Every structure is written in C-alpha cells, then in structure tokens.
Amino acid sequence: MKAVPLIFGAILFVVLSATVHAELKWEQTTLELHPVIGDKEAVGHFKYQNTGSTPIRFKSVRTSCGCTVAQSQREEVAPGEKGEITATFKIGDRTGTQVKTVTVETDETAHAVTVLSLKAVLPQMLSINPAFVYWSANEEAKPKAISVKAAKDFPAKTLTVTSSNPDFLTKVEPGNSPGEWKINVQPKQTTRATAAALTIRPDFPKDSPKLFYANVSVTGAPAMVQ
Amino acid sequence: MKSSLLRQALILVALAFIPGIGQAIYYRDRVSWESRVPLSELVTVAQAKSWGQNALWVDARPDTDFERDHVPGALPLNEDRWNELLPQFLAAWSPEKKVVVYCSTQSCNLAGEVARRLRNEAQIKNVFVLRGGWEEWLKEKK
C-alpha cells in the first residue's frame, strides 16, 4: 500500500519532466553537397528549432578535421526560435567523396550531443593511374605508361603534358576510346637520383583549364626535385 | 505478497539501469567512434621507431600543426596542399622505406586518407598509420 504514493510520485515526476523540457529539433543531421569544378569550398547549413519550452545553450561545436569550419549563429536558442549551424568544408586537393562531421554539444539533458554529417561528393574529372612511376637506380631506362581517363561529364578532348625536369621525356598517345590517353614517360638516365612533377593540362574548362599532376622519379641516392 | 513482488521488480529494474547510467556518465563527452583503418595497417610508436632510418615519417595534419611541432625528420603531406607537397615526399621515398603516416589523435581520419591515397594513387607499398597519432608520440616521448 505504501508503494502507491511512490508510484504516483514517480509518474508525476516523469510527466512534469516531459512538459518542462528543451529540445533542439534538427531539420536534417546529414547533408550531401555536390560542388562543381572550380569550387574552393562546400558550405552546408544545418537548420534547427528549439521545440521545447526552455532555452538551449550551445556548449561547443567541433569539427572532425581542420579542413572544416563550423559556426553557430548564436550561443543560446530561445523556445520556438530557429537557427542554423554553418559548416564550411575546404576542398583543397581532396578527391572523391568526403565525409566530415560536426559535433554539437548543448546543455540539453536528454540529448546533449548531436553529430552532424557533411558529405561532399567532389567532381571526378580525370583519373590518373598510377599517379607516380619510378625507376630504381641503374634500372633500364625504358618508358613507363600512365593511363588517364576523363569522367563522363568532363568533356576534355586533348591533353598536354609538361615535365618540371628535362631529365624525363613525355609523350601523350590517345587511348582505346575517346576521353582516354596514355602518357609515356622515359628518363634520360637512371644512374643518379632525379625526380619531376608532370603537369597534365586538359583542354577543359576552356577559359581556365584545371591542372592535374603525376610524379616520376629515379630512386637511389638523395634526389633533387626540380 | 503483491507489494513484495512489486518491490523486487523495481529493484531489478533499478539494477539493470546502473551499468547504462554509469557508461552514459563516463562517456558523456564522447561520440562513438570506430577506426576506418584496418588493424593490419596500424603501427605502434615503438614498432615505427624500431624501423630507424628505414621509416619515412609523414605528418598529415594541417600546416599550422606541423609548423608548431612534428616528429623529427617528418615530411608534411596533407590534402589541403597534396599536389604541392607530394613531390617532396616522393623525392625522399625509396622502395625499401616504410611510410608511417600520422595525424593528431587516434580518432582523426587525416592519416588514413593520406595513407589511402599513397597506396591507391601513387601505388606505394608499406604505408602504415601511426596508432594514436601525434598524441601517442608525445606520450611515448616522455
């Protein structure tokens, strides 16, 4: 019989706790962005609303990598108020699909930590395989091939290749189908260490062609990059 | 009889909550995380140090972190300036070297990404990720 008031008290506590609460409702916790060729960064907006009856305070907003900066518009969100966390991802020389997270910590008792996920699908332009070829010291100085393939939505017709070091000769040949090429690289000698960066310039976009790189070297003694 | 049963049930429920509450309090500031780097590609500080001159250390952290401090002899190679920094790394690399890539902590993914690109794009073998990253290096240094 003594348990009845206890149970009643517990139910009352739960009901009261549910009515006086703070809750940050996120419109979405995952965003997928598709930057285009030439974009330097990708920006995602994570929108939220405080659907509770008490204010919510942001304690911290942390990103998973130095390449992403996240900012909150305000430190405190009043009941009913809307806002957003802006996440800016610096593309740099990254390739492929990148997933970065933003960890948001608030003073909510029920759900203090929310992980927001920013997925950036970077445009695939050229695939270069391999992006590095080398010759061991005194290996026969035979040409080696680098295959280049343009993505479907990257309409390059021709490629030009330049070497940063005259120690390497390069020749571009068309591949088996349109949008494919073979770069033949040959060192003039393999008796001493040397290296070069190959700059691959497609004819697209016409106004400011995007540059790609491959590297070649003769390994052995300490090398010099030119 | 009934109240005794109810009491026992409540005690059992309360006991069942204890480990969960403990874990929630202990890990309250942490987000669950799992390394994307397979165990076979991880290397400890002690192992990497034992490779001596045969190890080529690569710092995958942002430039500012590298400039502040880094493993002696390490080369910077991050994805912010990949095209610019890669030639410097390749000039120091030779086939017999074991490449040890590190970033800040165990949970950072930068080293894994740099290691993946070295393997897939440059087709370099013997590329490892330092377990625990720079934080672990500092601990072992003490």
Side-chain angles (χ1 to χ4, degrees):
Chain A
M1 207 52 194
K2 278 181 187 173
V4 174
L6 269 176
I7 293 168
F8 181 74
I11 292 169
L12 192 68
F13 176 75
V14 170
V15 170
L16 282 176
S17 305
T19 51
V20 183
H21 75 295
E23 190 183 354
L24 210 56
K25 271 255 174 353
W26 294 89
E27 216 167 83
Q28 66 279 96
T29 54
T30 302
L31 283 178
E32 184 170 310
L33 303 173
H34 293 264
V36 297
I37 295 165
D39 282 357
K40 298 269 186 278
E41 55 188 32
V43 184
H45 303 274
F46 293 96
K47 295 185 175 170
Y48 58 76
Q49 184 177 14
N50 181 356
T51 58
S53 52
T54 55
I56 293 171
R57 211 178 150 72
F58 286 109
K59 288 166 87 176
S60 67
V61 178
R62 297 189 306 271
T63 59
S64 60
C65 121
C67 57
T68 309
V69 177
Q71 277 183 323
S72 168
Q73 288 173 320
R74 49 178 65 86
E75 280 184 21
E76 196 172 279
V77 191
E81 199 173 15
K82 290 179 179 179
E84 66 177 40
I85 299 276
T86 309
T88 306
F89 165 61
K90 191 166 97 183
I91 295 170
D93 290 334
R94 290 169 183 81
T95 57
T97 298
Q98 301 281 326
V99 180
K100 306 296 168 195
T101 58
V102 179
T103 306
V104 180
E105 197 184 352
T106 65
D107 62 357
E108 287 174 90
T109 44
H111 195 70
V113 177
T114 303
V115 179
L116 308 171
S117 184
L118 187 73
K119 184 176 175 183
V121 183
L122 304 180
Q124 169 92 27
M125 293 170 264
L126 287 187
S127 67
I128 299 166
N129 188 33
F132 171 57
V133 288
Y134 70 93
W135 290 258
S136 299
N138 300 315
E139 181 183 333
E140 195 180 346
K142 277 185 177 174
K144 291 190 179 181
I146 296 173
S147 298
V148 181
K149 193 176 175 183
K152 276 180 192 168
D153 48 357
F154 192 76
K157 296 275 183 288
T158 58
L159 286 186
T160 51
V161 177
T162 50
S163 169
S164 64
N165 182 341
D167 278 355
F168 294 89
L169 304 170
T170 61
K171 190 180 172 192
V172 183
E173 289 176 4
N176 296 329
S177 37
E180 288 183 20
W181 299 269
K182 195 167 87 171
I183 304 169
N184 289 310
V185 195
Q186 188 173 19
K188 286 180 181 168
Q189 54 76 32
T190 58
T191 51
R192 64 182 166 81
T194 184
L198 305 183
T199 304
I200 302 166
R201 182 191 292 264
D203 61 347
F204 182 83
K206 295 279 180 214
D207 299 334
S208 55
K210 166 98 178 132
L211 300 180
F212 298 84
Y213 300 90
N215 288 274
V216 293
S217 76
V218 173
T219 64
M224 294 293 290
V225 180
Q226 292 191 11
Chain B
M1 182 68 182
K2 267 188 181 176
S3 72
S4 163
L5 270 177
L6 187 66
R7 194 165 57 238
Q8 282 180 30
L10 283 172
I11 290 168
L12 282 175
V13 169
L15 284 174
F17 269 106
I18 290 171
I21 292 167
Q23 195 180 27
I25 293 169
Y26 187 74
Y27 293 114
R28 64 189 177 281
D29 294 330
R30 300 187 197 178
V31 175
S32 71
W33 172 85
E34 200 176 317
S35 174
R36 285 192 274 171
V37 180
L39 276 178
S40 59
E41 291 166 9
L42 287 171
V43 67
T44 63
V45 173
Q47 276 175 294
K49 274 183 175 172
S50 74
W51 294 337
Q53 294 296 311
N54 220 21
L56 181 56
W57 292 81
V58 170
D59 191 320
R61 299 174 303 159
D63 292 335
T64 46
D65 291 346
F66 178 81
E67 282 157 18
R68 208 172 296 133
D69 202 3
H70 54 262
V71 172
L75 297 170
L77 181 59
N78 57 58
E79 290 196 287
D80 289 333
R81 296 193 299 130
W82 179 265
N83 293 329
E84 204 179 319
L85 297 171
L86 186 63
Q88 184 192 350
F89 160 81
L90 293 172
W93 174 85
S94 55
E96 71 280 2
K97 296 262 188 199
K98 289 180 175 176
V99 181
V100 184
V101 191
Y102 67 90
C103 53
S104 306
T105 60
Q106 180 68 35
S107 60
C108 86
N109 293 320
L110 302 177
E113 281 300 306
V114 165
R116 183 189 61 79
R117 289 186 73 170
L118 287 176
R119 279 191 216 105
N120 296 352
E121 294 177 23
Q123 297 187 356
I124 288 177
K125 288 172 186 160
N126 291 325
V127 181
F128 301 89
V129 171
L130 186 68
R131 191 192 289 262
W134 172 247
E135 267 186 7
E136 196 60 31
W137 166 270
L138 286 178
K139 271 189 219 162
E140 297 271 328
K141 208 174 111 181
K142 283 175 189 170

